[in-house]
């Protein structure tokens, strides 16, 4: 299972798995959210980053106890891993951009269509 | 997805499920419908947001948005109907609570539903111009619950009943009320207004109408106002606690109208407790309350103002026309000042210094002060009294305060020139008898008059002060140069008065005793020696003298008498008994003055240095006078008949008035000429208006008099009648 976050390296964890460690600062369970792709890849991201997506934001702030908020993980059976990965990258890029750093977000052309559809879905 | 430049890449197979299943829409909808049910039944914990969201998303994407939307409407409506039934079933007290609870539930559910259906809300709804989910939820709630036939009226009645109970003193659950009212507000302002506010205002109007009717029958004005104020504050508080802020002005209007506006006249004119009584008793708090309450209603303040004005005018008129009061001028003026102070206090404490009230007060005072033609004279007498003795021991500021108040009364006078005449007379007497308390106070008052009326008014007065000063210098010079020759003779103090500045008095003849006449001649030659081209005439009717007298048992007294009296007394140096005729012959003093002078010497108890035969009060021609050997007095210095300013007798008054009228004529003429010179041609009415305007700072000219003056000017070729228009006049250069 590979989760990649920008600015971070891949680590070789135990049993050949590569895990991602969060960026600087402690990462508590309450601050994070697990996004699971169609193939079962798990991406652990900051809640703040995830909330860039309006859909995820609504999900988390909705009254009533949906199962996602209970368990802190969201499954996207219709979003592939590559796309989800790109989306996570977008989250962090977006946060950086909002704080002033103007860098370019590169999109591989072959991903475009699916990325747009996913973005539409996630209202990002 | 936009057109991209063709590149070498592979498009992967469309991962999303292609709709092959014809019942796809139904199946998906079923899932969502189920979810909605669960949400309403508080069972949402097991649901997956993502799944539901995805389903809704897909439905919309595959053009089943319509089905989704209408399905939503249906499901919600069904649930709301159930809710409505359960609320209806609630018993009395818990009706509102049940409603409140269900409302909270509905809101929560609505939000969850909206979140799930966010995609539809974002895309489908705007494009088809349907109501967004949230608003839809509110509307359905409104239609199915609030407006359901069983609930609508019951809700309104329950709320109104609770408010009524609170008004009668019970404590109600304000939090619950707030929630319910906020619900109505959330449903839209029309709902709030139609379903609550309008009936609320009507019911409140009825309530207050009834209550005000009850109160006004049994309460006095002050109490009623307290109650009205209390109710007003209650309503404002109610609004802050659980009503829409916009309702505040509406409900306060209702209270104001029912409790205040409808009963204004009755309150103000209430017997024994109305406005007039409050004014008389200085009830500042009540008056303040009345002012604040009446300020809120149209014509409220003008009602108060009008009643106050007519009251002030009436009391003032009574004051100035009361024959008792008129007997003591100083008291008279003091009462006026007290009245003014009283009302100034009322206006500042209770009416928050409202300018319109101040103006009304001023116009009332102006009205009644001028009702008594002797007001100018009295005010001058008041000032005279104060400057002679009234201001003794007053600090400088207090003196200023008193003078300022006098100036205030002065401003109200219409006939300021009458005042000027009297003031000059009284000032002359004060200066000449040396009886003024404080020179600074005198000068201060003159300065105030100058500021008020201009230099012209006061230049003569200032001349009088100058004369006094100059006379002092002259006396010093006289004694310095002639001192040796005078030696031990009587000491002479002369005041040289410039004729124009001082009030004109005829100088009747009077024979001075020999000792004095030589001295006077010496002074005359001295003075004319230093000032050529002037003429001096002795004013024997205005002088005073201090004589030392030795009586029968050898007791000595110093008598302070007028010059006339001195002349009479000196005669008794050479004779013990003199008849009236003899005295008259010897002194040549005019009869009336002589009689008065003899009266004060012989007929006043404690000051009768002469004895009269017979002992009657009046002086007959054949009366005889003897030196009173047995005169006694506690004091060494005895003051007899100083020349004091007094209220004028009738003939004197007539005389003064005549003089004033005479003085006015040239002033009117000067004004007419001034006006005509600038306007060249003017018609009669306009002349009258202009002349009045010009002269109003001094007096109010009589139109008849103005006409006479115009005629006189025409005779003297200053003006001529216009040939074309008989009513117009033309200026002749």
């Amino acid at each position: 299972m590979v989760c990649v976050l920008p600015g971070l390296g891949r680590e070789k964890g135990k049993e050949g798995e590569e895990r991602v460690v969060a960026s600087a600062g402690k990462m508590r369970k309450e601050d994070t959210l697990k996004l699971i792709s169609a193939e079962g890849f798990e991406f652990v991201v900051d809640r703040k980053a995830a909330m860039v997506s309006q859909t995820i934001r609504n999900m988390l702030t909705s009254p009533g106890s949906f199962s996602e908020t209970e368990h802190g993980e969201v499954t996207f059976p219709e979003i592939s891993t590559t796309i989800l990965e790109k989306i996570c990258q977008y989250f962090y890029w977006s946060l950086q951009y909002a704080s002033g750093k103007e860098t370019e977000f590169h999109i591989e052309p072959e991903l475009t269509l699916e990325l747009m559809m996913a973005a539409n879905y996630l209202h990002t | 997805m936009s057109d991209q430049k063709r590149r070498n890449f592979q498009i992967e197979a469309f991962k999303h499920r292609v709709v092959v299943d014809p019942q796809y829409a139904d199946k998906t909808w079923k899932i969502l419908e189920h979810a909605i049910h669960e949400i309403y039944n508080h069972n949402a914990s097991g649901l997956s947001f993502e799944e539901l969201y995805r389903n809704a998303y897909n439905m919309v994407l595959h053009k089943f948005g319509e089905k989704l939307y209408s399905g939503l409407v249906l499901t919600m409506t069904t649930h709301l109907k159930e809710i409505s039934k359960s609320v209806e079933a609630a018993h009395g007290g818990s009706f509102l609570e049940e409603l409140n609870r269900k409302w909270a539930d509905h809101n929560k559910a609505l939000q969850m539903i909206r979140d799930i259906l966010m995609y539809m809300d974002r895309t489908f709804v705007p494009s088809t111009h349907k109501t967004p989910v949230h608003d839809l939820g509110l509307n359905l709630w409104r239609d199915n619950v609030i407006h359901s036939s069983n609930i609508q009226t019951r809700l309104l009645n329950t709320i109104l009943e609770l408010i009524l109970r609170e008004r009668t003193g019970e404590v109600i659950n304000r939090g619950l009320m707030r929630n319910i009212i906020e619900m109505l507000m959330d449903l839209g302002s029309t709902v709030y207004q139609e379903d609550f506010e309008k009936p609320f205002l009507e019911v409140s109007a009825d309530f207050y109408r009834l209550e005000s009717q009850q109160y006004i029958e049994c309460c006095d004005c002050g109490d009623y106002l307290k109650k009205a104020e209390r109710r007003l504050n209650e309503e404002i508080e109610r609004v802050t606690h659980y009503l829409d802020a916009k309702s505040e002005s509406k409900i306060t209007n209702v209270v104001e109208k029912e409790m205040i506006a409808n009963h204004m006249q009755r309150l103000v004119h209430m017997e024994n407790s109305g406005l007039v009584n409050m004014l008389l008793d200085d009830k500042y708090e009540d008056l303040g309350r009345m002012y604040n309450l009446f300020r809120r209603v149209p014509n409220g303040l003008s009602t108060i103002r009008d009643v106050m004005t007519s009251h002030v005018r009436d009391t003032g008129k009574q004051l100035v026309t009361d024959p008792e009061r008129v007997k003591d001028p100083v008291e008279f003026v003091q009462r006026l000042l007290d009245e003014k102070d009283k009302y100034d206090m009322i206006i500042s404490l209770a009416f928050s210094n409202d300018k319109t009230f101040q103006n009304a007060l001023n116009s009332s005072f102006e009205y009644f002060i001028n009702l008594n033609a002797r007001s100018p004279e009295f005010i001058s007498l008041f000032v005279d009294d104060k400057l002679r003795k009234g201001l003794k021991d007053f600090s400088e500021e207090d003196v200023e305060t008193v003078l300022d108040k006098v100036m205030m009364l002065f401003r109200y006078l219409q006939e300021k020139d009458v005042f000027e005449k009297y003031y000059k007379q009284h000032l002359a007497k004060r200066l000449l008898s040396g009886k003024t308390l404080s020179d600074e106070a005198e000068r201060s008052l003159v300065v105030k008059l100058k500021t008020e009326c201009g230099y012209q008014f006061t230049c003569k007065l200032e001349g009088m002060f100058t004369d006094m000063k100059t006379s002092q210098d002259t006396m010093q010079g006289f004694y310095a140069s002639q001192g040796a020759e005078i030696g031990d003779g009587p000491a002479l103090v002369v005041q040289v008065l410039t004729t124009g500045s001082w009030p004109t008095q005829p100088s009747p003849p009077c024979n001075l005793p020999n000792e004095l006449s030589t001295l006077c001649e010496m002074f005359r030659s001295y003075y004319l020696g230093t000032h050529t081209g002037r003429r001096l005439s002795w004013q024997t009717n205005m002088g005073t003298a201090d004589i030392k007298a030795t009586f029968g048992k050898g007791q000595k007294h110093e008598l302070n008498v007028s010059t006339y009296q001195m002349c009479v007394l000196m005669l008794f140096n050479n004779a013990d008994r003199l008849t009236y005729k003899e005295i008259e012959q010897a002194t040549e003093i005019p009869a009336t003055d002589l009689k008065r002078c003899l009266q004060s010497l012989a007929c006043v108890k404690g000051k009768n240095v002469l004895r009269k035969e017979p002992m009657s009060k009046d002086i007959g021609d054949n009366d005889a006078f003897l030196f009173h050997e047995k005169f006694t007095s506690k004091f060494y210095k005895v003051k007899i008949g100083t020349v004091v300013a007094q209220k004028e007798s009738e003939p004197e008054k007539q005389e003064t008035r005549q003089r004033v009228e005479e003085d006015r004529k040239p002033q009117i003429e000067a004004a007419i000429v001034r006006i005509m010179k600038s306007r060249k041609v003017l018609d009669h009415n306009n002349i009258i208006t202009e002349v009045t305007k010009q002269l109003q700072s001094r007096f109010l000219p009589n139109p008849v008099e103005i006409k006479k003056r115009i005629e006189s000017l025409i005779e003297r070729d200053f003006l001529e009648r216009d040939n074309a228009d008989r009513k117009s006049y033309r200026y002749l250069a």
Side-chain angles (χ1 to χ4, degrees):
Chain A
M1 316 294 145
V2 176
C3 320
V4 178
L5 290 164
L8 306 170
R10 301 181 180 211
E11 284 184 1
K12 279 240 187 265
K14 23 189 184 201
E15 300 172 28
E17 283 175 6
E18 295 182 30
R19 288 209 175 255
V20 165
V21 187
S23 49
K26 285 204 275 283
M27 196 93 145
R28 296 197 309 255
K29 188 141 198 285
E30 306 82 66
D31 290 345
T32 64
L33 189 66
K34 209 190 279 191
L35 306 176
I36 309 176
S37 75
E39 289 91 13
F41 278 72
E42 297 175 359
F43 296 84
V44 179
V45 297
D46 257 334
R47 283 204 176 208
K48 211 164 71 160
M51 302 256 238
V52 174
S53 152
Q54 285 296 328
T55 310
I56 297 182
R57 178 191 289 250
N58 280 341
M59 190 187 309
L60 295 176
T61 55
S62 183
S65 39
F66 288 110
S67 59
E68 280 85 358
T69 29
E70 296 279 301
H71 302 125
E73 40 181 71
V74 193
T75 321
F76 295 106
E78 297 194 357
I79 305 185
S80 73
T81 315
T82 0
I83 301 298
L84 193 54
E85 182 182 350
K86 204 70 191 171
I87 286 183
C88 290
Q89 286 174 358
Y90 177 77
F91 287 157
Y92 281 94
W93 177 87
S94 174
L95 287 186
Q96 275 191 339
Y97 192 85
S99 62
K101 285 196 217 168
E102 290 193 25
T103 44
E104 203 197 306
F105 186 72
H106 180 69
I107 302 180
E108 290 82 2
E110 59 270 17
L111 297 179
T112 318
L113 181 58
E114 285 190 48
L115 197 57
M116 290 302 125
M117 302 256 319
N120 189 27
Y121 178 71
L122 291 174
H123 196 184
T124 308
Chain B
M1 274 118 299
S2 55
D3 281 281
Q4 301 251 342
K5 288 203 202 122
R6 303 243 170 192
R7 294 201 199 166
N8 283 340
F9 56 84
Q10 295 213 343
I11 299 179
E12 292 170 358
F14 202 54
K15 280 233 175 69
H16 293 277
R17 231 177 296 173
V18 179
V19 181
V20 284
D21 191 347
Q23 289 170 324
Y24 168 73
D26 287 327
K27 275 204 240 156
T28 323
W29 167 243
K30 279 274 173 316
I31 300 174
L32 287 167
E33 191 185 5
H34 173 79
I36 295 178
H37 282 306
E38 293 299 289
I39 289 175
Y40 267 105
N41 295 335
H42 307 117
N43 262 346
S45 49
L47 301 172
S48 155
F49 183 93
E50 195 277 330
E51 184 193 338
L52 299 170
Y53 181 83
R54 191 168 19 95
N55 279 315
Y57 175 83
N58 286 334
M59 273 190 84
V60 175
L61 212 58
H62 297 308
K63 312 281 184 251
F64 291 112
E66 187 58 48
K67 185 175 168 70
L68 179 59
Y69 193 87
S70 38
L72 173 68
V73 174
L74 214 61
T75 321
M76 257 196 172
T77 315
T78 327
H79 273 285
L80 288 176
K81 284 206 162 62
E82 268 176 43
I83 290 180
S84 171
K85 282 211 184 44
S86 93
V87 171
E88 278 171 33
H91 294 295
S94 55
F95 173 73
L96 279 187
E97 276 155 14
E98 184 66 17
L99 181 62
N100 188 33
R101 212 192 345 260
K102 292 289 182 219
W103 165 249
D105 286 347
H106 171 72
N107 268 334
K108 186 166 160 201
L110 184 59
Q111 207 175 341
M112 287 164 74
I113 294 171
R114 192 210 44 193
D115 288 337
I116 301 174
L117 302 181
M118 179 65 78
Y119 188 72
M120 178 184 79
D121 230 11
R122 246 194 324 135
T123 51
F124 176 74
V125 160
S127 62
T128 50
H129 303 292
K130 290 211 196 288
T131 338
V133 174
H134 179 78
D135 297 333
L136 174 69
L138 292 182
N139 291 349
L140 289 178
W141 172 269
R142 177 193 64 203
D143 296 334
N144 291 306
V145 178
I146 301 297
H147 284 173
S148 97
S149 48
N150 288 336
I151 292 186
Q152 188 169 19
T153 22
R154 189 172 168 192
L155 176 62
L156 178 63
N157 290 343
T158 318
I159 296 179
L160 290 178
E161 198 206 314
L162 281 177
I163 293 181
L164 176 63
R165 281 206 254 158
E166 197 181 41
R167 283 190 179 140
T168 47
E170 275 182 50
V171 177
I172 63 169
N173 185 343
R174 283 184 159 182
L176 179 59
M177 286 294 274
R178 184 175 33 246
N179 288 343
I180 298 286
I181 302 284
E182 272 175 5
M183 171 185 78
L184 291 174
M185 278 158 61
D186 287 341
L187 292 178
S189 65
T190 21
V191 175
Y192 176 76
Q193 276 167 9
E194 294 300 323
D195 282 337
F196 168 70
E197 203 183 39
K198 270 215 197 93
F200 166 68
L201 291 174
E202 271 172 31
V203 165
S204 306
D206 291 336
F207 175 80
Y208 282 116
R209 194 171 306 131
L210 201 62
E211 190 172 83
S212 67
Q213 205 51 45
Q214 282 173 342
Y215 280 166
I216 202 132
E217 296 294 333
C218 67
C219 296
D220 70 16
C221 184
D223 274 344
Y224 181 91
L225 289 177
K226 277 204 192 88
K227 289 193 161 62
E229 193 183 50
R230 191 169 54 92
R231 280 299 189 199
L232 203 58
N233 289 338
E234 254 178 47
E235 291 302 323
I236 295 177
E237 205 213 6
R238 174 167 300 117
V239 171
T240 37
H241 274 121
Y242 56 82
L243 297 182
D244 185 5
K246 289 203 232 21
S247 299
E248 182 178 318
S249 60
K250 294 184 199 171
I251 183 68
T252 45
N253 279 348
V254 165
V255 177
E256 285 157 12
K257 177 162 170 286
E258 296 300 331
M259 290 206 95
I260 302 174
N262 285 350
H263 298 284
M264 228 165 35
Q265 289 298 329
R266 193 167 164 181
L267 281 171
V268 162
H269 293 291
M270 206 178 258
E271 288 253 335
N272 298 333
S273 64
L275 178 60
V276 173
N277 298 81
M278 287 185 194
L279 288 173
L280 287 173
D281 296 335
D282 288 331
K283 291 240 163 78
Y284 299 126
E285 203 192 304
D286 286 341
L287 286 168
R289 190 170 298 120
M290 185 185 264
Y291 180 79
N292 282 329
L293 288 175
F294 277 52
R295 191 165 36 176
R296 291 165 167 264
V297 300
N299 294 333
L301 289 186
S302 55
T303 311
I304 300 182
R305 210 176 22 244
D306 292 340
V307 172
M308 184 185 92
T309 310
S310 60
H311 170 72
V312 171
R313 282 187 188 214
D314 286 341
T315 32
K317 187 164 161 186
Q318 263 183 351
L319 211 88
V320 302
T321 48
D322 181 2
E324 279 302 307
R325 292 246 164 263
V326 169
K327 288 196 186 147
D328 182 354
V330 179
E331 244 323 284
F332 176 89
V333 175
Q334 188 60 50
R335 280 280 292 153
L336 289 179
L337 289 178
D338 291 341
E339 278 294 296
K340 184 75 174 39
D341 278 342
K342 176 193 165 87
Y343 282 98
D344 279 343
M345 186 76 102
I346 290 180
I347 292 182
S348 86
L349 285 183
F351 296 156
S352 60
N353 278 324
D354 189 322
K355 271 263 171 324
T356 51
F357 279 79
Q358 267 295 351
N359 292 345
L361 186 68
N362 286 342
S363 79
S364 308
F365 264 77
E366 205 178 305
Y367 163 76
F368 69 72
I369 281 186
N370 290 307
L371 282 181
N372 185 339
R374 299 191 78 167
S375 295
E377 186 194 342
F378 288 174
I379 296 181
S380 177
L381 283 170
F382 179 81
V383 172
D384 181 75
D385 176 79
K386 291 283 172 237
L387 287 170
R388 275 177 190 272
K389 46 186 185 336
L391 292 179
K392 201 163 159 186
D393 300 334
F394 270 43
S395 72
E396 216 176 284
E397 301 155 4
D398 290 340
V399 167
E400 285 296 305
T401 320
V402 171
L403 292 181
D404 283 333
K405 286 195 185 159
V406 170
M407 281 311 293
M408 194 179 50
L409 286 184
F410 172 76
R411 271 182 218 115
Y412 293 139
L413 288 174
Q414 272 170 354
E415 302 198 298
K416 297 190 169 74
D417 56 346
V418 174
F419 175 85
E420 186 195 356
K421 212 166 211 55
Y422 282 110
Y423 186 74
K424 253 213 276 197
Q425 278 177 16
H426 299 152
L427 178 64
K429 288 188 185 149
R430 281 203 297 280
L431 286 176
L432 292 176
S433 56
K435 282 274 181 288
T436 177
L437 263 186
S438 148
D439 225 21
E440 282 137 30
E442 295 272 2
R443 285 186 185 274
S444 162
L445 186 55
V446 172
V447 167
K448 289 187 206 293
L449 285 170
K450 185 151 81 170
T451 326
E452 190 66 29
C453 297
Y455 172 69
Q456 245 192 340
F457 197 90
T458 53
C459 61
K460 301 231 175 92
L461 301 176
E462 289 181 351
M464 289 160 82
F465 284 106
T466 324
D467 280 345
M468 297 299 292
K469 188 89 198 343
T470 322
S471 301
Q472 269 182 340
D473 296 337
T474 315
M475 285 318 297
Q476 274 179 346
F478 175 61
Y479 272 103
S481 70
Q482 312 275 358
E485 294 185 29
I486 298 169
D488 282 333
L492 183 67
V493 175
V494 181
Q495 270 112 6
V496 184
L497 314 177
T498 318
T499 313
S501 306
W502 296 73
T504 40
Q505 304 252 14
S507 50
C510 167
N511 280 344
L512 294 172
N514 291 337
E515 299 92 324
L516 287 175
S517 44
T518 29
L519 203 53
C520 294
E521 276 312 307
M522 277 175 76
F523 179 83
R524 181 196 289 274
S525 35
Y526 166 77
Y527 187 82
L528 290 176
T530 40
H531 301 90
T532 47
R534 293 191 184 181
R535 203 173 52 177
L536 286 181
S537 45
W538 294 101
Q539 301 280 120
T540 43
N541 52 348
M542 290 166 84
T544 55
D546 291 332
I547 342 178
K548 285 209 185 75
T550 317
F551 290 89
K553 297 226 176 78
Q555 69 270 47
K556 291 194 181 3
H557 287 282
E558 193 176 294
L559 305 174
N560 178 271
V561 295
S562 71
T563 308
Y564 285 165
Q565 287 164 339
M566 175 206 56
C567 298
V568 170
L569 288 175
M570 293 295 277
L571 292 175
F572 284 88
N573 272 346
N574 305 324
D576 276 332
R577 188 176 193 282
L578 292 164
T579 61
Y580 173 78
K581 277 263 181 284
E582 288 168 337
I583 298 177
E584 193 181 17
Q585 251 180 346
T587 57
E588 286 186 25
I589 296 173
T592 23
D593 293 323
L594 182 58
K595 286 201 175 137
R596 202 169 36 195
C597 148
L598 284 169
Q599 264 180 333
S600 59
L601 284 173
C603 306
V604 178
K605 200 158 179 232
K607 310 220 175 163
N608 48 342
V609 288
L610 293 179
R611 243 183 333 120
K612 188 166 89 75
E613 287 169 1
M615 291 275 279
S616 55
K617 268 262 176 190
D618 302 320
I619 313 278
D621 282 352
N622 295 323
D623 287 356
F625 292 88
L626 301 97
F627 185 68
H628 189 195
E629 299 273 329
K630 298 203 185 75
F631 173 76
T632 51
S633 166
K634 274 192 285 180
F635 305 106
Y636 173 65
K637 287 195 183 171
V638 180
K639 224 179 354 191
I640 306 182
T642 42
V643 183
V644 173
Q646 272 172 346
K647 185 162 72 88
E648 282 186 331
S649 59
E650 265 307 305
E652 284 177 338
K653 195 178 72 165
Q654 300 285 17
E655 215 190 299
T656 316
R657 182 131 288 258
Q658 241 184 343
R659 267 190 255 145
V660 168
E661 291 296 331
E662 281 302 314
D663 283 344
R664 284 181 181 175
K665 287 182 183 163
Q667 292 182 46
I668 296 179
E669 289 188 351
I672 296 175
V673 170
R674 254 199 314 273
I675 293 166
M676 290 307 294
K677 198 162 172 185
S678 69
R679 306 290 207 96
K680 300 288 188 246
V681 185
L682 203 57
D683 74 287
H684 187 82
N685 287 335
N686 277 335
I687 291 189
I688 306 254
T689 329
E690 286 294 320
V691 169
T692 313
K693 214 160 51 167
Q694 276 210 10
L695 292 173
Q696 76 184 18
S697 60
R698 279 185 64 81
F699 63 91
L700 207 59
N702 186 347
V704 172
E705 192 54 46
I706 299 179
K707 188 168 193 326
K708 282 206 201 131
R709 294 296 104 221
I710 295 178
E711 307 277 326
S712 159
L713 285 171
I714 291 177
E715 269 173 35
R716 286 182 275 154
D717 286 334
F718 279 91
L719 302 177
E720 68 172 1
R721 280 220 167 77
D722 196 35
N723 291 328
D725 179 8
R726 287 296 292 174
K727 280 229 146 223
S728 288
Y729 304 96
R730 190 194 301 274
Y731 177 70
L732 291 174

